[in-house]
Amino acid sequence: GAGVSQSPRYKVAKRGQDVALRCDPISGHVSLFWYQQALGQGPEFLTYFQNEAQLDKSGLPSDRFFAERPEGSVSTLKIQRTQQEDSAVYLCASSLTFRDSGYTFGSGTRLTVV
Amino acid sequence: GESVGLHLPTLSVQEGDNSIINCAYSNSASDYFIWYKQESGKGPQFIIDIRSNMDKRQGQRVTVLLNKTVKHLSLQIAATQPGDSAVYFCAEMAGNDYKLSFGAGTTVTVRA
């Protein structure tokens, strides 16, 4: 596609509920990143995929967070037993060669845990 | 209008004036820097980048200056327009890394 697509745009979850956030990167982009952006803050790195391989998950806040990209294209970020502190915008980005033009970000999924 | 000091969260500028947004970075190993613009409800949008072997780079209405001695980055926007109202983030990447580290951002508001 022309850009990075994320769905849903908004998600309200009750505390304790599991959620799944989807990212469709730009076609052909090898690298895929997930970032978390709290209100009024800059994005914070969560995890990085190169094709289907998750090469870095050092930014995932807890073992309740899980990401996958099984076929090297679409990625899903799953949060189990959501808590209020998980409320944030979750951004997905993809790149062909990130040192040429950074990443292309999607519009994000705003997760609100009530 | 100019954000002074290390970082000022907000900048109000008159339409048509030039804007200067400042950013301090902390990692001496950072060698690639990007400015992003983020409008409400959207993801960060690439504006301009610069590598550490350069001091200045110009784009359309934007200029990025890099001072490695004091680890300072600035973004200059010429003839600021209402559509420039957004949050601006500087981001850095170290030579052996693929992760971007973002600053807290500066909110720019353009007055008509």
Side-chain angles (χ1 to χ4, degrees):
Chain A
V4 178
S5 178
Q6 292 187 247
S7 61
R9 285 298 315 277
Y10 304 93
K11 177 68 178 179
V12 178
K14 291 185 178 180
R15 190 165 39 186
Q17 184 179 353
D18 296 349
V19 298
L21 312 180
R22 177 187 170 104
C23 172
D24 283 87
I26 293 173
S27 179
H29 278 194
V30 168
S31 297
L32 185 144
F33 303 83
W34 284 97
Y35 278 74
Q36 180 190 59
Q37 186 173 25
L39 189 64
Q41 302 295 318
E44 296 277 349
F45 171 82
L46 292 177
T47 188
Y48 164 56
F49 289 87
Q50 187 174 83
N51 295 308
E52 69 278 4
Q54 188 175 20
L55 299 186
D56 188 340
K57 53 182 180 179
S58 62
L60 297 177
S62 74
D63 58 8
R64 296 185 296 104
F65 286 71
F66 172 75
E68 60 183 5
R69 193 186 185 197
E71 298 180 357
S73 55
V74 171
S75 178
T76 304
L77 177 67
K78 298 179 179 178
I79 309 173
Q80 297 176 324
R81 304 181 302 281
T82 52
Q83 300 177 5
Q84 283 191 321
E85 59 262 33
D86 299 335
S87 295
V89 174
Y90 290 86
L91 295 164
C92 176
S94 71
S95 70
L96 196 56
T97 54
F98 41 78
R99 281 186 167 268
D100 289 336
S101 60
Y103 317 148
T104 301
F105 281 88
S107 293
T109 294
R110 180 176 294 279
L111 173 65
T112 303
V113 182
V114 298
Chain B
E2 179 175 356
S3 67
V4 297
L6 288 179
H7 166 72
L8 193 69
T10 62
L11 175 66
S12 181
V13 60
Q14 185 70 38
E15 181 179 358
D17 286 353
N18 296 334
S19 303
I20 300 176
I21 306 166
N22 295 300
C23 176
Y25 65 94
S26 56
N27 188 353
S28 299
S30 293
D31 67 346
Y32 181 50
F33 305 87
I34 306 175
W35 280 99
Y36 282 95
K37 171 186 179 183
Q38 187 173 27
E39 297 174 279
S40 181
K42 296 184 179 180
Q45 178 187 1
F46 174 92
I47 301 174
I48 191 168
D49 60 357
I50 188 167
R51 301 181 190 280
S52 59
N53 61 352
M54 303 173 68
D55 298 323
K56 178 180 180 179
R57 191 169 188 211
Q58 290 184 294
Q60 187 177 12
R61 283 201 308 118
V62 294
T63 300
V64 55
L65 299 178
L66 174 63
N67 185 330
K68 296 179 287 295
T69 302
V70 295
K71 292 190 284 191
H72 182 268
L73 197 67
S74 69
L75 177 70
Q76 301 176 1
I77 304 174
T80 312
Q81 302 169 358
D84 295 328
S85 293
V87 179
Y88 289 80
F89 292 98
C90 63
E92 60 184 291
M93 185 185 289
N96 60 350
D97 205 352
Y98 42 76
K99 292 177 286 194
L100 280 173
S101 295
F102 286 80
T106 297
T107 301
V108 172
T109 303
V110 181
R111 304 187 307 273

